[in-house]
Amino acid sequence: MHATDARANEEMGHNNELTMTEERKITTTPVMEFYRDKCVLITGGTGFIGRLLIEKLLRINVRQIILLSRPKKGKTVQERCDDLFSSIVFMNLKKDYPTFIERVKLVDADLQYPSLGLSDESIEYIINNAQIVLHAASDVRFDQALKKAIEVNVRGTRDLLRIAEKIVNLELFVYISTAYSNCPQGLIKEQFYTPPSEPEKMIQLVEAMDERFEEHINKTVNDFIHPWPNTYVYTKALTEDVVRQYGELLPIAVVRPSIVIATNEEPISGWTDNIYGLNGVIAGIALGIIRIMHVDDNNKADIIPADIVVNAVLAAGWQTYVERKHDRPLPEAKANGEPKEVAKPRTKIYNCVTGNDNPISYQKIYELSIEVGKHCPPKKSLWVVCHNTTTNKYLYEFYKLIYHLLPALLIDTYLRVIRRTPRVMDLYRKVHKFATVIAYFANGRWSFENDNMKSLRDKLSPDDQIMFPCNIKKIEWADYFWTYIHGLRKHIANEPLENLDEAIKRHKQMRIVHYFILAAYYSLWALLVFYLCKAVGMLVF
């Protein structure tokens, strides 16, 4: 291994060890005390943010987690739970708390169905036992059909809030939204905005849809949701208004993270389980698949590590409880036989973003990623890294033809000749669909206010700042990207550290071939231009 790599790995390991040692010395903090011995209901627990929330809550000793989950891809709820807890995310937790799984109660639920598909027995258990609700579930696919997106994101949240209204000892409800829920705005404040439509009417609309009407809506959905770019952010905007309405009665906080990427430190550094957003772009570039992107390099990429988001959610929940614990009357608190009047609590929104405090441009991201990638290339890459960007959509289409489609055609033709299944063109269809979806966010510009988030960080005790670090100013992007790129290689490309020397050797060989092909490729283009010019009489000898 390269000497610089060895030093960096040693330093990273040392820093992580210090962080964990500091945490283990701390046994109690205000935030920890709030969550300790509580019963917490979590939605989206099998997702990226959800499983990190579960791990952290179990680590700070909640009494029980009620995990709502559904069968998926032929697996039962129990099988999905088994897969969840076999994840590397829970590796350290297993060492410290071998029986932690006994504190997790599985409940069969599906947000796509009315009342979350919960049985009467499950609803009764939640009402009588849950104290905290953390709502992390949503359909995050940008191209999801409008009907399903509304059913899961809007109606699912409304029905969960209806259940939360009935919870006997409800202390807190946290809704995890997105910083881009109101993306038609240039300046996004920590406040509620007028929704694109009336949420309840949209729920009624999709419930009344027949197949013919749904097919028509799907064909015209971009016009229907304009100026929102996709059904995900559109339904998030609708859902925030649902949350606003219930926030008049319930102790609710809304956390809006920006572009969530791999963990910074906990429970393990550089961990991610998906190729959404920036993860997909960086992985695609590292694998030699993505060679051209339609993006403004100078734009700020508002990215935030997942563990920072989790800590912000838990800290915001604690502050919400502290500020609102007297807002909701207890069932027995009555005056003359009627519930006492209380002031309506104010739902706070926390924009969990980085652009104000620790900005980084897409250009800097590419530079850091490529520099780190030289030391840890994936062995199974299609080709070497040769990434280009343009802000001109016409040039992008031209470069897409040159850099993606023509090479894909040549490779697939070769695969057919040797009687193997052609697959590169299909791969690029998916890549281009993905690129179209993220182009809106890569080329748009937003400013986010985050005064509530800053105030929250300042209110945390020194020990809580260690246990629940959410100060983005403390992240050194160069150090983070070293962790991030290594994490993508390990957790997304599934490549062990042991094959690193072999991968570096292979990339050196591929680079020699790459330059040879590049020389031949441009020579052919030069010859083509030469003979065309000669044919039309532009060259005279």
Side-chain angles (χ1 to χ4, degrees):
M1 184 182 292
H2 195 281
T4 306
D5 300 3
R7 277 201 307 274
N9 284 338
E10 185 179 324
E11 288 172 8
M12 284 170 56
H14 179 62
N15 290 337
N16 286 341
E17 185 181 334
L18 283 177
T19 303
M20 294 303 294
T21 302
E22 281 183 312
E23 283 193 8
R24 289 193 174 106
K25 286 179 181 177
I26 299 170
T27 57
T28 183
T29 71
V31 177
M32 290 173 71
E33 280 303 308
F34 168 62
Y35 288 100
R36 183 170 287 151
D37 292 328
K38 295 289 171 61
C39 180
V40 183
L41 180 138
I42 293 182
T43 69
T46 56
F48 182 39
I49 292 295
R51 68 180 63 192
L52 292 172
L53 276 168
I54 290 173
E55 193 278 340
K56 184 90 176 190
L57 286 167
L58 290 170
R59 193 158 21 112
I60 59 176
N61 286 316
V62 296
R63 174 170 51 86
Q64 185 182 60
I65 286 177
I66 303 173
L67 174 58
L68 302 191
S69 187
R70 63 187 172 94
K72 186 178 180 182
K73 295 181 179 178
K75 291 188 176 183
T76 65
V77 171
Q78 184 60 55
E79 287 171 337
R80 292 190 70 199
C81 181
D82 292 341
D83 288 346
L84 170 68
F85 293 119
S86 66
S87 166
I88 192 172
V89 167
F90 297 93
M91 179 179 62
N92 291 326
L93 190 67
K94 285 177 183 177
K95 294 176 183 176
D96 296 335
Y97 305 97
T99 61
F100 76 86
I101 201 165
E102 295 176 3
R103 289 186 279 152
V104 179
K105 178 178 176 61
L106 282 178
V107 174
D108 198 338
D110 191 335
L111 268 70
Q112 190 178 354
Y113 298 107
S115 299
L116 286 70
L118 289 164
S119 66
D120 291 341
E121 182 184 357
S122 295
I123 292 175
E124 184 179 359
Y125 184 88
I126 290 168
I127 288 171
N128 292 323
N129 291 277
Q131 295 164 279
I132 295 168
V133 178
L134 302 180
H135 184 26
S138 66
D139 193 318
V140 299
R141 284 170 288 189
F142 286 1
D143 59 348
Q144 182 58 271
L146 183 64
K147 176 179 170 63
K148 186 174 181 182
I150 289 176
E151 287 172 344
V152 173
N153 295 346
V154 187
R155 187 180 66 188
T157 302
R158 182 204 65 182
D159 290 356
L160 181 62
L161 284 161
R162 285 179 173 178
I163 293 170
E165 272 189 312
K166 300 174 185 176
I167 292 176
V168 176
N169 295 308
L170 182 70
E171 297 182 8
L172 170 68
F173 187 110
V174 181
Y175 173 59
I176 302 176
S177 185
T178 170
Y180 298 96
S181 55
N182 298 285
C183 55
Q185 305 284 336
L187 172 64
I188 298 176
K189 301 180 179 181
E190 292 175 307
Q191 66 180 43
F192 289 107
Y193 288 85
T194 304
S197 304
E198 171 58 44
E200 196 59 40
K201 289 181 179 178
M202 291 304 300
I203 292 172
Q204 293 169 4
L205 174 67
V206 300
E207 288 179 338
M209 275 185 186
D210 56 22
E211 289 184 9
R212 187 176 177 183
F213 185 37
E214 183 182 358
E215 185 179 341
H216 171 72
I217 284 289
N218 289 340
K219 289 178 180 178
T220 60
V221 67
N222 290 336
D223 294 329
F224 187 86
I225 66 175
H226 183 78
W228 276 260
N230 57 64
T231 55
Y232 171 65
V233 289
Y234 175 80
T235 54
K236 281 292 191 178
L238 292 175
T239 306
E240 282 194 5
D241 195 60
V242 174
V243 173
R244 177 194 61 79
Q245 294 172 39
Y246 279 84
E248 295 176 358
L249 296 173
L250 302 178
I252 297 176
V254 177
V255 178
R256 290 182 183 150
S258 50
I259 303 169
V260 184
I261 54 176
T263 56
N264 179 44
E265 286 184 341
E266 54 175 342
I268 51 174
S269 57
W271 178 80
T272 184
D273 69 345
N274 65 77
I275 54 171
Y276 299 134
L278 188 67
N279 289 346
V281 173
I282 299 298
I285 292 170
L287 292 169
I289 297 170
I290 297 177
R291 300 188 186 97
I292 180 68
M293 288 287 294
H294 182 209
V295 61
D296 185 346
D297 285 345
N298 297 316
N299 267 5
K300 286 190 292 187
D302 209 300
I303 55 176
I304 188 156
D307 50 334
I308 299 290
V309 176
V310 166
N311 290 327
V313 167
L314 297 178
W318 162 76
Q319 187 180 27
T320 300
Y321 172 75
V322 169
E323 292 178 347
R324 304 183 185 182
K325 58 185 175 182
H326 301 300
D327 284 337
R328 193 179 187 221
L330 296 171
E332 67 270 20
K334 296 183 178 181
N336 301 321
E338 297 296 328
K340 291 180 180 178
E341 290 291 330
V342 294
K344 291 180 180 179
R346 182 169 62 89
T347 299
K348 263 190 183 176
I349 295 174
Y350 299 86
N351 284 343
C352 192
V353 295
T354 58
N356 294 343
D357 302 323
N358 198 352
I360 184 170
S361 68
Y362 283 104
Q363 178 62 37
K364 189 64 176 176
I365 286 175
Y366 299 143
E367 289 173 1
L368 291 173
S369 300
I370 290 170
E371 180 59 33
V372 176
K374 292 176 182 176
H375 305 292
C376 62
K379 184 183 175 184
K380 294 179 287 190
S381 60
L382 181 67
W383 203 243
V384 296
V385 173
C386 43
H387 180 60
N388 303 277
T389 63
T390 179
T391 57
N392 187 300
K393 62 180 181 180
Y394 300 107
L395 276 177
Y396 169 67
E397 292 298 326
F398 173 72
Y399 289 140
K400 192 167 75 174
L401 174 67
I402 300 299
Y403 292 136
H404 288 175
L405 299 180
L406 286 180
L409 181 62
L410 291 172
I411 295 171
D412 277 356
T413 300
Y414 171 72
L415 289 172
R416 286 189 179 94
V417 168
I418 63 172
R419 296 185 179 182
R420 293 181 61 180
T421 305
R423 54 190 180 185
V424 182
M425 191 64 80
D426 285 341
L427 172 64
Y428 274 113
R429 288 192 186 99
K430 294 176 183 177
V431 167
H432 294 155
K433 183 179 180 181
F434 169 73
T436 301
V437 164
I438 66 170
Y440 174 89
F441 300 98
N443 292 288
R445 297 193 177 190
W446 292 272
S447 296
F448 299 96
E449 290 188 355
N450 64 335
D451 291 340
N452 287 344
M453 195 66 226
K454 290 177 181 177
S455 174
L456 170 61
R457 293 195 301 251
D458 293 341
K459 289 178 181 178
L460 293 176
S461 69
D463 283 349
D464 271 326
Q465 289 180 26
I466 293 172
M467 289 299 300
F468 302 90
C470 51
N471 188 349
I472 197 65
K473 288 183 178 180
K474 293 186 177 180
I475 288 186
E476 293 290 340
W477 287 120
D479 294 338
Y480 173 78
F481 270 87
W482 184 276
T483 300
Y484 179 36
I485 301 304
H486 281 79
L488 287 176
R489 186 182 193 274
K490 180 178 180 180
H491 304 296
I492 297 300
N494 294 316
E495 297 204 12
L497 194 63
E498 288 74 22
N499 76 355
L500 190 56
D501 290 338
E502 193 176 345
I504 291 172
K505 181 180 178 181
R506 180 175 180 268
H507 266 253
K508 286 179 180 178
Q509 293 169 344
M510 279 201 304
R511 189 159 293 280
I512 293 170
V513 177
H514 169 72
Y515 287 128
F516 177 78
I517 292 175
L518 210 59
Y521 186 73
Y522 285 114
S523 296
L524 285 172
W525 274 103
L527 282 171
L528 179 63
V529 171
F530 172 79
Y531 283 114
L532 282 174
C533 291
K534 188 176 180 181
V536 298
M538 292 179 65
L539 294 176
V540 180
F541 294 97

